[in-house]
Amino acid sequence: LHYDLADGDCPVMLDPERMRAALRTVLAYYRAVMCTAGGRVELSTRLPDADGAGAPPSGSVVLSLTRTDSQVPLEQARRMLEQPYSLGASSIAGGGFGLSLVAAFVRQSGGQARFVGRPGGGPVLEMELPLAANTPVP
């Protein structure tokens, strides 16, 4: 597990226990599908540009979780955020292992979860979370 965190504080309003549970769910899924192939997970944060062209950041922070060895097609990864996970041995690698519950928690916190493509690699899970009200953005 490698970290690349944005400088400064980025306080968000959410339930910290549920956020820890969400991160554990994603990391458990990543570990389950990586256990035979190896690889690494990168956790990063960033303040998004409002328009992608260097404008001041919006009122949110993006937490990204990247698996370096991912071979999951982007559309399949996106479906894992929408569909409830199923039980059974194949559900860990193929069914999302609760990723739809993570997406639901992020939505309930006022944010959004999505898988985005990255050049030369597999999908990246991004959780965009709103900054706490009246939070100065660095």
Side-chain angles (χ1 to χ4, degrees), residues 1 12 18 22 44 47 53 69 86 91 109 117-118 128 130 134:
L1 182 61
V12 294
R18 289 187 67 198
S44 62
L47 296 168
D69 68 327
S86 60
S91 68
S109 299
R118 65 181 163 116
E128 186 168 352
N134 302 319

Side-chain angles (χ1 to χ4, degrees), residues 30 33-40 67-70:
Y30 280 1
V33 297
M34 287 173 41
C35 65
T36 57
R40 84 184 211 180
R67 225 177 70 216
T68 60
D69 68 327
S70 179

Side-chain angles (χ1 to χ4, degrees), residues 51-132:
D51 64 2
S58 65
S60 63
V61 62
V62 177
L63 171 67
S64 299
L65 289 140
T66 306
R67 225 177 70 216
T68 60
D69 68 327
S70 179
Q71 300 300 320
V72 176
L74 183 58
E75 288 309 312
Q76 180 182 346
R78 287 179 174 158
R79 281 192 304 273
M80 286 188 251
L81 291 176
E82 299 165 1
Q83 301 170 352
Y85 68 95
S86 60
L87 299 176
S90 65
S91 68
I92 292 174
F97 200 58
L99 296 182
S100 64
L101 300 175
V102 171
F105 161 68
V106 171
R107 280 192 304 275
Q108 289 171 353
S109 299
Q112 60 178 328
R114 62 186 171 267
F115 275 103
V116 297
R118 65 181 163 116
V124 174
L125 176 60
E126 289 188 346
M127 292 181 262
E128 186 168 352
L129 301 164
L131 292 170

